[in-house]
Amino acid sequence: MASTSVSRIVPASPQRVWDLIGGFDALPDWLPYIPESTALEGGRVRRLTNPDGDVIVERLVAFDEAGRHYSYAILEAPFPVTGYLSTLRVHPVAGRDDVAEVQWSGRFTPDGITDAEAEDLFTGIYRDGLEALHQALSA
């Protein structure tokens, strides 16, 4: 099993960040790579579409409003991994009310690629996603 984690300080309070990213169906609100999300099964499943028309289906497996984090599993995606489980988490920064740390982490089993290749793939996705979040909060 492979894993990766990326963190980024963003220019908004933890609550403001969570208000933007905490909805399981909210990816199109801040992530340009996902322009479309459809909530299914009462919001427990999201069907995402990327600009190339690829479909990604994910299931919410844990949600903690007070702790400002949720975890999800990929059910269907064009990625060369299986057993994917990821967590998106918002942390306060000690002594600061105007910024937050966002951590995006995942673990997965590579399928047809090496651990390092799978880790590089998701490190890039998480890094680019958190950069997009930083840009959305800076606007």
Side-chain angles (χ1 to χ4, degrees):
M1 182 163 281
S3 65
T4 189
S5 181
V6 175
S7 294
R8 174 82 192 254
I9 301 294
V10 295
S13 70
Q15 189 58 50
R16 180 169 169 232
V17 176
W18 183 247
D19 289 346
L20 177 60
I21 72 172
F24 188 56
D25 197 35
L27 287 179
D29 296 341
W30 60 274
L31 190 60
Y33 179 71
I34 302 294
E36 184 181 329
S37 178
T38 303
L40 305 168
E41 296 185 24
R44 304 276 309 166
V45 172
R46 61 186 178 194
R47 183 183 187 276
L48 310 170
T49 306
N50 73 16
D52 296 330
D54 294 326
V55 171
I56 303 162
V57 180
E58 300 172 334
R59 176 176 297 282
L60 184 67
V61 295
F63 185 86
D64 184 338
E65 180 78 28
R68 296 189 186 108
H69 63 87
Y70 68 80
S71 299
Y72 61 94
I74 289 180
L75 304 179
E76 174 188 332
F79 304 124
V81 299
T82 60
Y84 178 98
L85 182 65
S86 183
T87 299
L88 192 58
R89 183 181 306 267
V90 179
H91 298 283
V93 175
R96 300 282 305 267
D97 294 335
D98 60 332
V99 298
E101 180 184 9
V102 180
Q103 178 186 32
W104 199 347
S105 60
R107 65 180 194 263
F108 33 82
T109 301
D111 184 9
I113 62 173
T114 66
D115 283 10
E117 289 169 325
E119 289 168 351
D120 287 349
L121 171 67
F122 287 103
T123 297
I125 289 171
Y126 299 164
R127 183 186 59 242
D128 292 351
L130 294 181
E131 174 61 26
L133 176 61
H134 187 278
Q135 294 301 320
L137 291 165
S138 298

